[in-house]
């Protein structure tokens, strides 16, 4: 899936045709101001100076194409008064033609004039975030100056990110934007509301346990799972951190599982993460041919994540027809050999293969990415950065390409929502295709969660009956007359609906048979006490005593 950035195409119609091989006949300077209102309606004021570089030619008309039809109150004027403006276009693009009131004969003569219009497409509020996208010029050839100023209401407060960084406060020059447009966001974090439909079918003639993947907590998102219908047997966490719901199906049984909830998405990581075994994210896999000779040679020449990102986003070309025709995934090697026919999968696969060949742990993320396209499912890579205690860094070389160079390496965005993580396996788990995801502004209600703890027949039972992930911290068990092995348990991760059954080796002390004792369990500041009766068969009849 791609994301398209608005472009401005600029033309001046000359009095005589000019060959492309000839020297430039005019130079142009632009001072453009974007003034955003509280509602997001943006007034664009372009102050333009046209300078004649010859004595033989003059410009009679200005033509501009803008990648949106959503413009209004279009007007132009110079020192002599209003200019004649003509517009045409469709739902994707608007062409503007302006006839000048005067001509500028003579070398170094200048014409100054102004174009003004309003647009509701430049600034948009999605959920909790205001996003402002300032168009990139199609070409800056023969442009002396191209200065951009942005004005926003004080209620927008501090920016969440600015791409690229302005020269001064909301002011950019030609050198900063010649490779990309400008993207600015205001807000704190994003909130998505999701409804996912998972279809399961046991094709066997015997019972089977089948799995679905649920949106997981990551360094960049926190998930609130409000409902899962029908309820699973259990929810586990796999090697990559995915939440895996498990269901028991009868022979040939079909079921539909609906998961609903909200997700908070953050620009910066919420916590650092030590990667215990990075080798699994360095291995060659199907589609990630990190051991291929050509891929290894390219990786060695590039060496760093930012150079690999630039290489991939520059080399590959997004081909939307492959998505429309649902053509099979090419993988990194084939993408390298067919750079003109890539989807988000090929951008992702090639980055991962090159990164792994360069000894950089990397993996694939699959999920939702907000765009105007009909299919919101998207894939993008992330790599592990051990700096600052360790963090996975999400990047998007596909959108770097399709937006004309917006920086998705140094600054990500809040339009990506992870549904599945693929690191140890490039294919599984697969996210559901039937998804309904929308922006919302309300913050999900947070209730203090704690694992329900019980002790049944020498087994410690932990249940998460809440909406969010629970980490139990250290669980400590003690008893005056019973030896417990282990007497403490390390941090246990419990997604919503998870159940953990932990066998305990409980051994009564000598001469304690027939006596009563108390087993005390402490976790997260909470203390539970259980009465136990010790019989000769080492069986414990346990009942809740007090909290």
């Amino acid at each position: 899936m791609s994301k398209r950035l608005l472009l401005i195409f600029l033309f001046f119609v000359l009095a005589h045709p000019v060959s492309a091989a000839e020297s430039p006949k005019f130079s142009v300077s632009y001072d453009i101001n974007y003034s955003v209102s509280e509602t997001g309606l943006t007034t664009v004021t372009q102050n333009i100076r046209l300078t004649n570089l010859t004595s033989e030619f003059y410009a009679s008309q200005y033509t501009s194409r803008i990648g949106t039809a959503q413009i209004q109150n279009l007007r132009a004027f110079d020192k002599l008064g209003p200019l004649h403006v003509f517009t045409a276009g469709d739902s994707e693009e608007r062409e503007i033609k302006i006839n000048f009131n005067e001509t500028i004969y003579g070398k170094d003569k200048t014409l100054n004039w102004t174009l003004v219009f309003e647009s509701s497409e430049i600034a948009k509020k999605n959920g909790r975030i205001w996003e402002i996208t300032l168009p990139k010029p199609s070409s800056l050839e023969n442009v002396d100056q191209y200065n951009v100023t942005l004005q926003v209401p004080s209620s927008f407060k501090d920016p969440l990110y600015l791409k690229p960084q302005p020269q001064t406060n909301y002011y950019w020059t030609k050198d900063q934007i010649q490779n990309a447009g400008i993207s600015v966001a205001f807000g704190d974090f994003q909130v998505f509301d999701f409804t996912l439909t998972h279809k399961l079918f046991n094709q066997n003639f015997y019972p089977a346990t089948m799995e679905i993947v649920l949106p997981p907590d990551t360094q960049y998102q926190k998930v609130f799972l409000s409902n899962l219908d029908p309820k699973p047997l259990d929810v586990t966490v796999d090697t990559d951190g995915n939440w895996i719901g498990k269901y028991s199906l009868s022979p040939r049984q079909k079921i539909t599982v609906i998961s609903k909830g909200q997700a908070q998405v953050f620009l910066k990581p919420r916590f650092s993460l030590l990667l215990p075994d990075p080798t699994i994210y360095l291995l060659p896999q199907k589609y990630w041919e990190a051991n291929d000779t050509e891929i290894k040679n390219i990786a060695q020449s590039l060496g760093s994540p930012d150079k690999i990102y630039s290489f991939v986003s520059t080399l590959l070309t997004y081909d939307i027809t492959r998505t429309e025709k649902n053509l099979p995934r090419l993988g990194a090697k084939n993408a390298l050999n067919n750079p003109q026919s890539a989807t988000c999968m090929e951008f992702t696969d090639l980055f991962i293969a090159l990164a792994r060949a360069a000894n950089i742990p990397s993996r694939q993320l699959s999920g939702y990415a907000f765009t105007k396209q009909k299919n919101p499912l998207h894939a993008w890579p992330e790599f592990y950065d051990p700096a600052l205690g360790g963090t996975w860094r999400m990047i998007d070389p596909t959108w770097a390409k399709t937006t004309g160079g917006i920086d998705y390496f140094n600054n990500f965005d809040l339009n990506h929502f992870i549904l599945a993580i693929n690191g140890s396996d490039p294919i599984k788990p697969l996210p559901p295709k039937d998804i309904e995801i929308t922006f919302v502004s309300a913050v999900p209600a947070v209730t203090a969660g704690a694992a329900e703890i019980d002790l049944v027949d020498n087994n410690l039972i932990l249940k998460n009956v809440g909406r969010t992930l629970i980490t139990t911290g250290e669980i400590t068990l003690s008893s005056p007359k019973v030896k417990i092995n282990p007497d403490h348990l390390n941090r246990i991760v419990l997604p919503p609906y998870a159940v953990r059954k932990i066998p305990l080796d409980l051994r009564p002390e000598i001469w304690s048979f027939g006596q009563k004792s108390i087993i005390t369990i402490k976790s997260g500041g909470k203390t539970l006490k259980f009465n136990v009766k010790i019989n000769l068969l080492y069986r414990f009849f346990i009942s809740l005593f007090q909290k």
Side-chain angles (χ1 to χ4, degrees):
M1 186 196 65
S2 68
K3 183 176 182 179
R4 183 181 177 218
L5 184 68
L6 304 181
L7 296 178
I8 296 180
F9 297 83
L10 310 171
F11 308 93
F12 287 95
V13 180
L14 305 182
H16 303 287
V18 179
S19 167
E22 296 182 38
S23 59
K25 303 300 182 288
F26 295 89
S27 67
V28 194
S29 295
Y30 296 88
D31 279 298
I32 304 177
N33 179 270
Y34 294 87
S35 180
V36 181
S37 71
E38 293 277 359
T39 64
L41 184 65
T42 302
T43 301
V44 183
T45 303
Q46 299 184 0
N47 293 307
I48 305 170
R49 183 177 73 254
L50 178 66
T51 301
N52 198 335
L53 302 180
T54 73
S55 56
E56 293 85 17
F57 295 89
Y58 66 90
S60 61
Q61 188 184 80
Y62 166 90
T63 299
S64 174
R65 289 205 305 270
I66 302 176
T68 177
Q70 302 300 318
I71 60 175
Q72 61 192 49
N73 295 332
L74 178 65
R75 55 202 184 276
F77 54 88
D78 63 10
K79 64 181 181 180
L80 299 179
L83 300 175
H84 294 287
V85 181
F86 308 92
T87 65
D90 53 27
S91 60
E92 295 293 327
E93 186 177 82
R94 178 62 61 90
E95 183 177 79
I96 302 170
K97 292 183 179 181
I98 298 172
N99 291 332
F100 296 139
N101 285 332
E102 59 178 335
T103 56
I104 51 167
Y105 286 102
K107 186 177 180 181
D108 298 327
K109 297 296 183 180
T110 61
L111 174 65
N112 296 286
W113 59 284
T114 301
L115 173 66
V116 181
F117 61 88
E118 296 172 350
S119 175
S120 59
E121 289 291 298
I122 291 173
K124 289 284 190 180
K125 188 174 186 183
N126 296 314
R128 299 174 61 87
I129 303 298
W130 274 105
E131 290 186 278
I132 300 173
T133 304
L134 307 185
K136 171 194 173 184
S138 60
S139 173
L140 290 174
E141 186 179 2
N142 303 326
V143 174
D144 283 343
Q145 296 182 354
Y146 195 94
N147 302 323
V148 174
T149 303
L150 173 65
Q151 294 177 303
V152 297
S154 59
S155 61
F156 283 20
K157 300 182 179 178
D158 294 333
L160 192 60
Y161 60 76
L162 298 134
K163 305 179 187 181
Q165 283 294 319
Q167 188 175 84
T168 58
N169 190 28
Y170 302 135
Y171 176 78
W172 294 264
T173 61
K174 172 185 173 181
D175 291 341
Q176 295 172 286
I177 61 176
Q178 59 184 343
N179 296 322
I182 298 168
S183 181
V184 183
F186 297 86
D188 45 11
F189 53 82
Q190 189 58 277
V191 180
F192 292 99
D193 188 278
F194 64 86
T195 300
L196 311 178
T197 301
H198 316 257
K199 296 184 181 297
L200 295 178
F201 175 35
N202 180 13
Q203 302 182 48
N204 301 308
F205 291 97
Y206 50 83
T209 298
M210 304 192 72
E211 299 178 344
I212 63 171
V213 62
L214 300 165
D217 269 19
T218 72
Q219 289 180 282
Y220 298 91
Q221 71 184 34
K222 182 175 179 61
V223 174
F224 301 76
L225 190 59
S226 57
N227 191 41
L228 192 52
D229 185 27
K231 290 180 172 56
L233 298 173
D234 192 8
V235 176
T236 61
V237 180
D238 71 7
T239 304
D240 293 319
N242 291 296
W243 294 0
I244 305 297
K246 297 180 180 292
Y247 289 85
S248 178
L249 273 69
S250 303
R252 311 297 296 173
Q253 183 184 6
K254 295 180 180 179
I255 66 169
T256 298
V257 181
I258 306 295
S259 58
K260 294 184 177 183
Q262 296 79 38
Q264 280 180 287
V265 177
F266 303 88
L267 189 66
K268 303 295 183 182
R270 300 183 296 133
F271 51 85
S272 60
L273 182 67
L274 178 65
L275 197 60
D277 182 15
T279 58
I280 63 172
Y281 301 113
L282 297 172
L283 296 175
Q285 297 274 9
K286 182 179 182 181
Y287 306 123
W288 305 332
E289 302 94 334
N291 57 350
D292 176 81
T293 301
E294 184 179 10
I295 287 177
K296 287 195 295 185
N297 290 338
I298 294 172
Q300 289 172 4
S301 68
L302 296 171
S304 63
D306 58 331
K307 291 181 179 179
I308 295 172
Y309 166 89
S310 296
F311 174 82
V312 172
S313 59
T314 301
L315 175 70
L316 301 185
T317 299
Y318 190 83
D319 182 4
I320 195 171
T321 61
R322 292 194 63 246
T323 301
E324 294 170 343
K325 295 177 181 179
N326 197 27
L327 296 178
R329 182 175 177 178
L330 293 178
K333 179 63 175 179
N334 286 331
L336 197 61
N337 295 331
N338 299 276
Q340 300 299 314
S341 186
T343 68
C344 59
M345 294 304 306
E346 283 67 48
F347 280 85
T348 300
D349 289 340
L350 184 55
F351 178 90
I352 293 173
L354 288 170
R356 291 190 175 196
N359 205 39
I360 301 166
S362 56
R363 60 188 185 181
Q364 169 191 310
L365 303 174
S366 302
Y368 169 88
F370 174 70
T371 178
K372 292 182 179 180
Q373 291 188 4
K374 293 181 180 180
N375 180 13
L377 287 173
H378 186 44
W380 63 99
E382 66 177 1
F383 69 93
Y384 185 74
D385 186 347
L388 301 176
T391 183
W392 285 101
R393 285 184 54 186
M394 298 189 291
I395 59 174
D396 197 335
T398 308
W399 280 17
K401 183 74 169 195
T402 60
T403 60
I406 289 290
D407 183 6
Y408 286 94
F409 184 88
N410 295 299
N411 289 289
F412 207 59
D413 67 7
L414 296 175
N415 290 323
H416 293 65
F417 170 35
I418 302 167
L419 299 179
I421 306 168
N422 299 98
S424 53
D425 188 315
I427 301 173
K428 295 179 180 179
L430 279 172
K433 295 182 178 180
D434 188 352
I435 65 174
E436 295 179 23
I437 300 176
T438 57
F439 293 108
V440 293
S441 57
V443 180
V446 180
T447 56
E452 285 190 355
I453 302 176
D454 203 353
L455 193 58
V456 179
D457 292 342
N458 295 13
N459 293 300
L460 185 65
I461 309 297
L462 306 176
K463 296 180 182 179
N464 183 355
V465 295
R467 302 174 59 212
T468 59
L469 182 77
I470 293 174
T471 52
T472 62
E474 186 179 82
I475 300 176
T476 302
L477 300 92
S478 61
S479 175
K481 298 180 181 180
V482 178
K483 292 180 180 179
I484 304 172
N485 187 24
D487 59 2
H488 72 276
L489 301 165
N490 292 327
R491 180 168 125 158
I492 297 172
V493 177
L494 293 172
Y497 296 90
V499 180
R500 296 289 178 271
K501 182 178 180 181
I502 304 170
L504 299 176
D505 184 6
L506 305 179
R507 299 190 179 187
E509 294 182 354
I510 299 174
W511 312 117
S512 62
F513 301 116
Q515 299 183 27
K516 293 181 179 180
S517 185
I518 295 175
I519 293 181
T520 301
I521 302 175
K522 293 183 178 180
S523 175
K526 187 176 181 181
T527 300
L528 297 176
K529 293 186 177 182
F530 294 86
N531 271 344
V532 297
K533 182 179 180 181
I534 305 168
N535 63 24
L536 292 176
L537 297 177
Y538 285 64
R539 179 173 178 81
F540 297 85
F541 299 93
I542 304 165
S543 59
L544 185 62
F545 180 71
Q546 67 178 27
K547 291 185 179 181

